[in-house]
Amino acid sequence: MKPVNLKQVLSIFGLLLGCHAFAASQPPNIVLFLVDDMGWQDTSVPFHSERTPFNDHFRTPNMERLAKQGVKFTQAYAAAVCSPTRTSIMTGQNPIRHQVTNWTLNKDGETSGKTARLQAPVNWKRNGLQPDAITLPKLLQGAGYYTIHAGKAHWGAHDTPGSNPKNLGFDANIAGHAAGGPGGWYGKTNFGNNSDGTPKRPWGIPGLEHYYGKDIHLTDATTIDALKAVDTAVAKGKPFYLYLAHYTVHAPIRPHPPYDDNYKGKKYAGTNIPIPSVEVSYASMVEGMDASLGQVLDKLDELKVAEDTIVMFSSDNGGLSYGARGKTPRNTGRNTHCWPLKAGKGSAYEGGTRVPMIVSWARTNAANPRQKKIPIAAASICDAPNICEDYYPTLCNWAGISDLLAGREDVDGRDLTGDVTGEPPKITPPLLFHYPHVWGPRGPGYEPHSSIRFGDWKAIYFYQPQRWELYNLKDDLGEAKNLASTSPERLKELSDRMKIEHDRRGAQYPANRETKKPEPPVWR
Ligand code: CA
């Protein structure tokens, strides 16, 4: 018989007592619950200054539960599509700097379309994030965390090392690989793999073979396995970082039973408008996602680690508002899925980038030493703008490793600890959006663009028409009134600032299709 070491004895002793071996000096556990393509209005939690009809349509009781005990962010942002945001979360860098400016899939593959004159930047990082990066989970691993990836990775292309989360600092990987959408949602169809169980490229979900043929939804399977990995971490007596990045509510939009029963054959709240079948499915996906959040919170309670765990809820881009969604929700017209914001995922307008975000302790207890250190303001609202690259320095702070970022001039993000404790800065740095690509759909703002938000003002540059637009978001959240010609000085100020921030980070620009030369903005 092998001798049992002291650590094992303590661990077994802790399990027998039903308590965890979690020393007071340990940093908090962190859950980053990231939903895919969830819009700012796809929830019963109002993120607008007033309740909207969509808040009455969607059911997200667990988001409500989290918001009641934590901070709701009304002006949280991400990039306009998946991989840029996910890479920013992993690196703390803005897409301008990390250069994964579009979504990725196959090695050396081009996912960007072209305009009449322009193509994608010549050297954007088509293979995505790779192991040479100093990723957030690597830093957390170094600080003693057990790091768990569950769900959608979508930061490194197929046939590259970056496609596997384990090569980027995760101890465990559940269902994550190169692709950004599921080949199938159901165990019955092997989550999009072949019927004989062999993998199907590029969309078949990996690593969930034990559910093949079973009546289970991908969101539920991912949650179950993610929580098993949390069991492992707790049994080890280690703090954990759970990056639970669901594939839902990304296309293909299909029902998540049994939640579709809550919308089938029904009308939009307070109207006589029947809910179209695609929106029945979408709402069921949102509710299924929310149920997963509830399962996570309940599990943390069950393991008696809820007081020691911070949950950050967010989405990786704005809500889908074309194609796979219904053409006109509530009969309000095209591109109104994110109303009162304009357009959706992929667009330069607010619907493309503004996301729901909540940060809270999984269970509040002001006497808990970890909560004393990071006193997250309960039932509060933070209106200070933030963006996805801010999570990196924030989580490093909470993990007690901010010192590792000293002198790291490649980190663009801002530490949000003051924002969650009720002391946000009065002036926040400009937010930068950079999408020099053609994503696909036609419509408002779905074209190569860069924008900058500073204070209440937002300037957008569209590369193909070489056109600037300017909005005051405080007065005009729906970006209806372009002030570029009436406020030229304000526009120049923002154009100048955008140039400085682009130059600092080495921005790549759309290339002319003929000459292959980059075409930077025509600065004001
Ligand atoms: Ca996405």
Side-chain angles (χ1 to χ4, degrees):
M1 201 175 139
K2 267 166 109 186
V4 179
N5 69 29
L6 183 64
K7 237 180 175 178
Q8 283 171 318
V9 171
L10 287 174
S11 172
I12 292 162
F13 187 61
L15 285 174
L16 287 174
L17 287 176
C19 64
H20 58 98
F22 204 63
S25 60
Q26 280 188 359
N29 307 307
I30 298 165
V31 176
L32 176 47
F33 192 102
L34 188 74
V35 190
D36 194 3
D37 287 9
M38 183 183 176
W40 195 58
Q41 289 296 305
D42 297 345
T43 165
S44 49
V45 176
F47 283 87
H48 186 36
S49 52
E50 59 199 68
R51 209 172 163 79
T52 67
F54 287 130
N55 298 144
D56 294 330
H57 171 58
F58 290 103
R59 295 167 195 233
T60 55
N62 293 295
M63 284 180 70
E64 290 175 38
R65 173 179 167 190
L66 198 65
K68 264 185 208 143
Q69 60 199 39
V71 186
K72 180 173 81 172
F73 290 84
T74 61
Q75 306 202 59
Y77 289 89
V81 301
C82 308
S83 306
T85 290
R86 288 156 192 273
T87 304
S88 290
I89 291 173
M90 287 285 271
T91 60
Q93 298 178 341
N94 185 272
I96 300 170
R97 191 188 299 279
H98 64 57
Q99 302 183 341
V100 185
T101 43
N102 200 17
W103 64 283
T104 55
L105 184 61
N106 292 315
K107 193 176 180 189
D108 302 325
E110 179 61 81
T111 54
S112 183
K114 294 173 181 177
T115 69
R117 190 181 76 254
L118 301 169
Q119 63 173 59
V122 175
N123 289 322
W124 79 274
K125 284 200 181 151
R126 291 171 179 78
N127 291 334
L129 182 65
Q130 296 299 327
D132 56 340
I134 306 170
T135 66
L136 177 64
K138 275 188 202 170
L139 293 176
L140 295 174
Q141 252 180 351
Y145 278 76
Y146 186 71
T147 54
I148 306 160
H149 178 276
K152 164 168 160 172
H154 198 203
W155 42 51
H158 275 303
D159 301 313
T160 72
S163 65
N164 183 352
K166 285 191 165 181
N167 292 333
L168 296 170
F170 285 102
D171 292 309
N173 172 34
I174 295 145
H177 68 149
W185 288 110
Y186 311 110
K188 288 268 187 208
T189 54
N190 299 348
F191 305 113
N193 292 292
N194 294 313
S195 51
D196 65 0
T198 55
K200 187 172 179 181
R201 292 279 287 268
W203 305 110
I205 302 293
L208 296 176
E209 293 80 0
H210 45 296
Y211 293 112
Y212 285 4
K214 293 188 178 160
D215 186 15
I216 190 166
H217 191 275
L218 177 60
T219 301
D220 302 324
T222 306
T223 307
I224 292 167
D225 285 16
L227 294 179
K228 278 184 189 159
V230 168
D231 277 331
T232 302
V234 172
K236 284 174 186 285
K238 279 187 156 195
F240 61 84
Y241 172 52
L242 169 61
Y243 176 76
L244 178 48
H246 280 300
Y247 283 89
T248 205
V249 298
H250 191 283
I253 293 162
R254 300 281 183 275
H256 184 162
Y259 308 107
D260 50 331
D261 288 342
N262 292 334
Y263 311 91
K264 229 182 269 174
K266 303 223 169 123
K267 293 174 176 165
Y268 282 101
T271 74
N272 268 324
I273 307 162
I275 305 173
S277 66
V278 64
E279 293 300 317
V280 166
S281 295
Y282 188 76
S284 77
M285 290 165 76
V286 170
E287 192 169 342
M289 169 283 295
D290 183 79
S292 165
L293 177 63
Q295 288 150 18
V296 171
L297 295 175
D298 290 346
K299 177 73 177 187
L300 297 171
D301 265 338
E302 187 193 307
L303 289 170
K304 299 188 175 21
V305 297
E307 279 183 14
D308 305 312
T309 305
I310 300 178
V311 179
M312 181 186 264
F313 179 102
S314 193
S315 171
D316 73 335
N317 48 249
L320 189 66
S321 191
Y322 96 107
R325 291 289 299 277
K327 273 190 183 147
T328 162
R330 300 180 68 258
N331 293 350
T332 46
R334 296 181 78 87
N335 290 120
T336 58
H337 297 82
C338 301
W339 187 90
L341 307 181
K342 187 168 168 181
K345 174 183 180 180
S347 172
Y349 297 112
E350 292 288 291
T353 54
R354 202 181 278 218
V355 294
M357 180 179 172
I358 303 167
V359 175
S360 178
W361 288 99
R363 177 163 293 281
T364 49
N365 176 4
N368 178 294
R370 273 167 278 272
Q371 298 197 22
K372 278 185 182 164
K373 248 176 144 177
I374 309 166
I376 297 175
S380 64
I381 296 173
C382 179
D383 294 323
N386 72 58
I387 190 163
C388 50
E389 56 259 32
D390 296 341
Y391 305 172
Y392 182 97
T394 306
L395 269 51
C396 282
N397 185 4
W398 297 347
I401 50 172
S402 288
D403 55 320
L404 297 180
L405 306 188
R408 286 273 312 275
E409 287 179 8
D410 62 312
V411 174
D412 296 309
R414 166 175 83 83
D415 182 352
L416 300 177
T417 303
D419 301 56
V420 307
T421 56
E423 293 170 339
K426 290 215 165 50
I427 298 172
T428 52
L431 304 182
L432 300 161
F433 304 92
H434 184 62
Y435 190 65
H437 299 279
V438 173
W439 181 49
R442 290 169 191 275
Y446 296 104
E447 53 178 310
H449 65 268
S450 292
S451 67
I452 179 168
R453 176 173 174 184
F454 195 31
D456 296 331
W457 292 88
K458 177 177 169 186
I460 308 171
Y461 181 76
F462 290 107
Y463 288 91
Q464 168 63 33
Q466 300 181 316
R467 183 181 74 242
W468 286 93
E469 294 183 7
L470 178 71
Y471 298 98
N472 183 314
L473 295 176
K474 196 174 181 187
D475 303 336
D476 180 21
L477 182 62
E479 294 165 288
K481 198 175 170 198
N482 178 7
L483 302 173
S485 57
T486 53
S487 301
E489 284 169 14
R490 179 73 66 177
L491 179 59
K492 175 156 175 46
E493 190 188 310
L494 287 174
S495 164
D496 288 351
R497 186 64 187 262
M498 191 199 278
K499 182 173 190 310
I500 290 167
E501 302 296 341
H502 277 209
D503 290 349
R504 276 179 56 204
R505 296 170 176 83
Q508 297 178 316
Y509 295 113
N512 185 287
R513 289 173 64 163
E514 301 295 323
T515 65
K516 310 296 177 201
K517 284 197 175 143
E519 289 199 14
V522 179
W523 304 107
R524 284 302 171 108

